[in-house]
Amino acid sequence: MKSIKSIPGENAFRKLFNKVAERVEGNDLNPFSNGSGAPRWWKRGSAEEVNFVETMSQQLEANNAIDGEFYTKYDVKRGLRNANGTGVIVGLTKVGEVVGYKTENNQKIAVDGGLFYRGYDVHDLVGNVVGEDRFGYEETSYLLLFGELPDKKQLAEYKATLGARRELPSGFARDMILVAPSNNVMNKLARSVLALYSYDDMADDLSIPNVLRQSIDLIGYFPSLIAYGFQAKRAHYHNESLHLHYPDPEKSTAENILRMIRPTGEYTDLEAKSLDLSMILHAEHGGGNNSTFTTHVVSSTGTDTYSAIAAAVGSLKGPKHGGANVEVIAMMNDLKANVKDITNYKEIEKYLLKLLKGEAFDGSGLIYGLGHAVYTVSDPRALLLKDMAKKLAEDEGLIDEFMVYDFIEKRGPQLFSEIKGVEKNMPANVDLFSGFVYSALNIPLDVATPVFAASRISGWCAHRIEELVAGGKIMRPAYVNVQEKRPYVSLGKRG
């Protein structure tokens, strides 16, 4: 360890550092001890450290446990849910609306699911895009950001604006992604978003024109951030060839994702439009989903756009949120590994029973892709995506596999009630059929949740702008402290 030679305004800190350095080099004792009978310096991963962490972890669990009766006593809305399962209202929004139930006499009444973007039914948005056989994510992004549907000229201008932002800042891919890869693409995505702060001379400017400019930058950048993060992971952790394709400013978001994650950059029109439809349906889901709520919470502090969106990415990374479609794909891979003939539905039913009993896959007792926190009768996204998934299955020769998903959708809820002994609505959610679409498109598991993020970034940015315009107050909920008061004990009298 070298002594510090010069620090601007050097003072007692330099003397202390040099003294510590000499002691460490001289006797390898804990520099903060008195040198008499002190423990040796613990190294990271040493037996002493492992034992310390294991011992203290047990103490942590004991000290952080809270009696469940307190939640009832103080009427705590755990998970921001009311007692009947409905969400606690914490804000207002014009961006998106999720309809899954209605409330009468404080009772939750199941209804057909609905999803609205800026007041427009997502069925109408998707129906028009599919009917005209065109890409629609960019139109959806425009609608979410600006609150109105674009005309042809406005949409062309927006597409051109996004196209100009497909390519990352000069040197960014090399310095921030390839030089420092991560074994998790979502982790790399969050770090990349934060790193973009350093490439923005107006990073902390919260004026709406500047935040809008930053938002469009990020929407345009996300396909490249994801593709390069994925390629860096493949090369660094799996010793695979590094395939880097420049983004094409003339192509849609979905097309750019497929061409940049695939070694050859090739894709079919149906493949790209299937992904495009999935992205439309993932672009927004109201203000109450965890990552969008995170965007509101963090934005309410007045922080910069990059910090807010990186926080949203971190939220989406969680397996209870954005990682659900990955669980569907993994579950289906396990099913195909354990069921020799996927056209034999009796065997598939046996596998599903094992799933529900915790005897298959991850032992969770869940059939991933069924049930939702808000939707009770149906998930409109699943209904819309299922139609496109079937077309893709027919084109790719995967109809037998598609029918397995169809069987799970129909039989899974019945088996759930039989095994769990609980009558509960368990409609197929969007993850069931997006899992099929991603699998059919050969989208690697590593990229499934990042593609979700590339879809939801438009919704996040719309909600961030809404929070800056209409929010006005830092979010500050309350927690009730249930730790009893204790007298302080001096160090020498403890233990």
Side-chain angles (χ1 to χ4, degrees), residues 173-189:
R174 179 193 64 233
D175 299 337
M176 296 297 176
I177 299 179
L178 299 179
V179 172
S182 172
N183 64 357
N184 185 287
V185 182
M186 283 295 280
N187 171 268
K188 183 72 254 182
L189 179 60

Side-chain angles (χ1 to χ4, degrees), residues 196-483:
L196 284 166
Y197 176 99
S198 301
Y199 289 73
D200 187 345
D201 293 335
M202 300 175 65
D204 288 306
D205 182 351
L206 296 186
S207 66
I208 298 306
N210 188 59
V211 174
L212 175 60
R213 187 264 308 171
Q214 293 171 331
S215 298
I216 297 174
D217 281 351
L218 288 170
I219 295 169
Y221 288 152
F222 259 46
S224 296
L225 294 176
I226 291 166
Y228 294 157
F230 170 63
Q231 297 294 353
K233 176 186 184 297
R234 290 176 69 249
H236 183 80
Y237 290 94
H238 306 293
N239 295 317
E240 298 180 9
S241 298
L242 185 65
H243 299 280
L244 299 181
H245 302 294
Y246 282 106
D248 186 339
E250 301 296 324
K251 301 293 185 183
S252 69
T253 303
E255 290 174 297
N256 269 296
I257 289 174
L258 289 179
R259 73 183 300 272
M260 287 196 290
I261 66 172
R262 292 180 171 180
T264 64
E266 297 176 344
Y267 56 87
T268 68
D269 184 65
L270 179 59
E271 287 178 327
K273 285 175 179 170
S274 296
L275 180 58
D276 178 74
L277 175 58
S278 176
M279 295 188 70
I280 293 172
L281 295 173
H282 281 96
E284 162 61 6
H285 211 234
N289 70 83
N290 197 283
S291 56
T292 302
F293 182 57
T294 297
T295 305
H296 275 281
V297 171
V298 178
S299 294
S300 77
T301 70
T303 193
D304 64 278
T305 297
Y306 304 100
S307 294
I309 300 303
V313 173
S315 166
L316 193 70
K317 178 177 179 287
K320 293 181 180 180
H321 186 15
N325 54 17
V326 174
E327 297 292 347
V328 169
I329 298 171
M331 177 188 74
M332 293 302 297
N333 288 339
D334 187 70
L335 182 153
K336 288 183 285 186
N338 288 279
V339 177
K340 294 181 180 180
D341 180 6
I342 62 172
T343 65
N344 186 332
Y345 297 122
K346 289 185 178 180
E347 291 301 312
I348 292 175
E349 183 168 313
K350 289 180 181 179
Y351 177 83
L352 295 179
L353 288 171
K354 288 182 179 179
L355 272 181
L356 291 168
K357 293 176 181 178
E359 298 172 357
F361 189 40
D362 61 0
S364 65
L366 300 174
I367 298 177
Y368 292 101
L370 298 181
H372 192 268
V374 178
Y375 297 121
T376 52
V377 175
S378 60
D379 181 340
R381 303 168 302 170
L383 298 177
L384 289 165
L385 194 56
K386 182 179 180 180
D387 291 338
M388 180 62 82
K390 187 175 182 180
K391 293 178 183 177
L392 186 62
E394 292 169 345
D395 188 73
E396 300 284 344
L398 297 171
I399 196 66
D400 286 343
E401 184 170 333
F402 171 81
M403 293 308 297
V404 175
Y405 287 78
D406 181 73
F407 179 78
I408 291 174
E409 176 190 21
K410 295 173 180 175
R411 184 65 175 132
Q414 298 169 347
L415 295 175
F416 180 90
S417 296
E418 292 172 13
I419 298 301
K420 305 292 185 180
V422 177
E423 288 295 329
K424 182 180 180 181
N425 290 322
M426 297 285 288
N429 60 51
V430 71
D431 296 312
L432 185 66
F433 293 106
S434 68
F436 174 82
V437 169
Y438 289 176
S439 179
L441 294 177
N442 291 315
I443 291 178
L445 282 176
D446 291 332
V447 184
T449 308
V451 169
F452 189 165
S455 311
R456 187 59 59 84
I457 177 68
S458 293
W460 289 338
C461 289
H463 279 276
R464 170 167 169 76
I465 292 171
E466 184 178 64
E467 182 64 37
L468 294 175
V469 171
K473 286 190 175 183
I474 184 172
M475 292 193 187
R476 182 63 171 85
Y479 273 66
V480 175
N481 189 298
V482 293
Q483 172 66 59

Side-chain angles (χ1 to χ4, degrees), residues 1 19-31 41:
M1 185 181 291
K19 183 176 181 180
V20 168
E22 290 171 2
R23 293 189 65 191
V24 171
E25 288 182 337
N27 56 24
D28 197 33
L29 292 177
N30 186 332
W41 184 266

Side-chain angles (χ1 to χ4, degrees), residues 21-278:
E22 290 171 2
R23 293 189 65 191
V24 171
E25 288 182 337
N27 56 24
D28 197 33
L29 292 177
N30 186 332
F32 302 105
S33 73
N34 58 15
S36 175
R40 304 293 280 180
W41 184 266
W42 285 9
K43 294 182 179 180
R44 189 180 187 122
S46 66
E48 293 88 351
E49 185 192 53
V50 170
N51 181 64
F52 173 80
V53 171
E54 289 180 352
T55 301
M56 296 310 296
S57 294
Q58 296 173 11
Q59 183 173 323
L60 274 175
E61 289 189 26
N63 287 342
N64 284 284
I66 296 178
D67 192 326
E69 292 183 0
F70 282 120
Y71 291 95
T72 302
K73 177 181 178 180
Y74 294 105
D75 191 26
V76 177
K77 310 295 186 181
R78 298 185 76 173
L80 289 179
R81 309 280 182 89
N82 294 309
N84 62 3
T86 60
V88 174
I89 297 175
V90 296
L92 303 173
T93 183
K94 287 185 173 182
V95 180
E97 180 184 9
V98 181
V99 178
Y101 54 82
K102 62 180 180 180
T103 304
E104 294 181 358
N105 299 321
N106 204 34
Q107 295 296 312
K108 185 177 178 181
I109 309 299
V111 299
D112 289 331
L115 178 60
F116 300 84
Y117 293 175
R118 294 287 188 175
Y120 293 98
D121 193 323
V122 74
H123 278 90
D124 296 331
L125 296 172
V126 168
N128 184 261
V129 168
V130 173
E132 296 182 357
D133 192 28
R134 61 184 175 85
F135 292 97
Y137 177 74
E138 290 71 31
E139 177 184 14
T140 302
S141 178
Y142 183 104
L143 171 63
L144 291 173
L145 277 182
F146 302 113
E148 301 290 346
L149 287 170
D151 59 28
K152 290 183 178 180
K153 181 176 181 294
Q154 291 169 330
L155 182 57
E157 290 174 343
Y158 185 60
K159 287 181 178 179
T161 303
L162 284 180
R165 287 159 170 78
R166 296 298 187 196
E167 190 171 336
L168 299 174
S170 178
F172 188 93
R174 179 193 64 233
D175 299 337
M176 296 297 176
I177 299 179
L178 299 179
V179 172
S182 172
N183 64 357
N184 185 287
V185 182
M186 283 295 280
N187 171 268
K188 183 72 254 182
L189 179 60
R191 289 161 56 189
S192 295
V193 171
L194 285 174
L196 284 166
Y197 176 99
S198 301
Y199 289 73
D200 187 345
D201 293 335
M202 300 175 65
D204 288 306
D205 182 351
L206 296 186
S207 66
I208 298 306
N210 188 59
V211 174
L212 175 60
R213 187 264 308 171
Q214 293 171 331
S215 298
I216 297 174
D217 281 351
L218 288 170
I219 295 169
Y221 288 152
F222 259 46
S224 296
L225 294 176
I226 291 166
Y228 294 157
F230 170 63
Q231 297 294 353
K233 176 186 184 297
R234 290 176 69 249
H236 183 80
Y237 290 94
H238 306 293
N239 295 317
E240 298 180 9
S241 298
L242 185 65
H243 299 280
L244 299 181
H245 302 294
Y246 282 106
D248 186 339
E250 301 296 324
K251 301 293 185 183
S252 69
T253 303
E255 290 174 297
N256 269 296
I257 289 174
L258 289 179
R259 73 183 300 272
M260 287 196 290
I261 66 172
R262 292 180 171 180
T264 64
E266 297 176 344
Y267 56 87
T268 68
D269 184 65
L270 179 59
E271 287 178 327
K273 285 175 179 170
S274 296
L275 180 58
D276 178 74
L277 175 58
S278 176

